[in-house]
Amino acid sequence: MEDLPLTPTQSRVIEELMARRRPRPTFPDTLADRLRSMLEEGLSEAAARVGPDGVSVRKADLSQVHACEAHLLAESSSPFGWNARNARGTVAHKAIELSVNLRPCPPPAELVALAIDRLVEDDWDWGPGRWLSEAPPTEAAELRAYAADVVHKFQDEFPPLKHAWRPRLESSLSAVLCGGRVTLKGKVDLALGQATGTEAKVLIVDFKTGQPAAVHADDLRYYALLETLRVGVPPFRVASWYLDSGHHQLEDVDEGVLEAAARRVIGGVVKLIELRVDGRAARLQPGPTCGYCVSRAECTGAAAWAEQRAEAGVM
Ligand code: SF4
């Protein structure tokens, strides 16, 4: 099939984000072992208190426990249920995944319908399949419109992904540490490229529909760490791509970035074990998380945060 001309934003992805003409860095072949040792040493004391089933840690656990321990516990004790708001991202990402591999590529609304069909067929155990199959018509229509908008923006902004770029979508990563007592898990929206020897040639991209936030950089560093532990070579770069504005924030990965990610994981997992296994009382850490926390109506931290904002003249 003939390649269509690229939009300026699509060209920017190739020039600025993929930076295909830039030399790629190489890393010591001992790097992954060193990071693994650093993690296991930092976690060994806490991991020894974990039962044989171990603890499983996702990037959301880490960001929540670092933002506010009480928020983490409140979130994890609220019963989870699928709804239009939390299912729409899963549908949109599935539709993007199909858009990369279906030829000819159907228009966004059709991709979304196919994505919903796939999720309904596949995901009854833990995914939104059951909710999607029974969703009220108005909510389902809003969800489809949202997901089609995300797919449309992705296609406007990203060049068609060539198979030679080795695209991986919705790619799961994990690292098993401390004899299985701690498992780190993540899922990368998009990874392009493949390491050669110790030369880093992978770009990891996370798609965002909201505004930039500091925690996005932490999430990306976490993915970089998991990819390094898996392959033995880090990605050369990680980036958040903001679909509403067509811009990105990127970070080139070096050993300092990975060590910072490992320290953040150690600090977060130790806190998670203290809270979930040892039963330590959670600390309140008033901050931006109060704005959407499930406990905000009754929490003194939320009131303290509102007061701080008022004093600073922030509405
Ligand atoms: S309202 Fe704020 S301080 Fe209270 S638990 Fe939630 S995030 Fe923490």
Side-chain angles (χ1 to χ4, degrees), residues 291-309:
Y292 54 88
C293 177
V294 289
S295 307
R296 65 187 181 280
E298 67 275 4
C299 178
T300 54
W305 177 241
E307 215 169 287
Q308 272 182 48
R309 282 167 61 85

Side-chain angles (χ1 to χ4, degrees), residues 104-164:
C105 182
E110 229 171 280
L111 284 164
V112 168
L114 290 169
I116 290 173
D117 287 348
R118 295 300 299 157
L119 290 167
V120 167
E121 281 166 26
D122 291 348
D123 271 354
W124 280 67
D125 286 345
W126 62 270
R130 184 184 300 272
W131 183 85
L132 288 167
S133 72
E134 297 164 352
T138 316
E139 286 188 44
E142 282 173 357
L143 177 146
R144 281 198 298 273
Y146 171 91
D149 180 59
V150 170
V151 176
H152 195 110
K153 285 171 177 162
F154 169 76
Q155 291 178 331
D156 280 347
E157 297 164 23
F158 258 69
L161 301 179
K162 297 178 190 292
H163 287 155

Side-chain angles (χ1 to χ4, degrees), residues 131-246:
W131 183 85
L132 288 167
S133 72
E134 297 164 352
T138 316
E139 286 188 44
E142 282 173 357
L143 177 146
R144 281 198 298 273
Y146 171 91
D149 180 59
V150 170
V151 176
H152 195 110
K153 285 171 177 162
F154 169 76
Q155 291 178 331
D156 280 347
E157 297 164 23
F158 258 69
L161 301 179
K162 297 178 190 292
H163 287 155
W165 297 347
R166 298 178 178 272
R168 285 184 275 139
L169 287 118
E170 295 292 297
S171 181
S172 297
L173 299 174
S174 66
V176 180
L177 303 168
C178 303
R181 302 273 164 152
V182 177
T183 302
L184 307 177
K185 292 184 173 176
K187 193 181 264 191
V188 168
D189 286 347
L190 172 66
L192 296 173
Q194 184 178 33
T196 308
T198 55
E199 189 179 1
K201 293 163 81 173
V202 168
L203 166 68
I204 285 177
V205 184
D206 222 17
F207 296 114
K208 301 289 182 192
T209 49
Q211 297 297 312
V215 73
H216 296 167
D218 291 326
D219 291 346
L220 289 165
R221 288 176 167 198
Y222 177 67
Y223 292 147
L225 179 64
L226 293 186
E227 177 80 352
T228 308
L229 294 172
R230 186 182 72 83
V231 188
V233 185
F236 75 94
R237 171 175 286 179
V238 288
S240 295
W241 184 273
Y242 296 94
L243 288 161
D244 290 353
S245 56

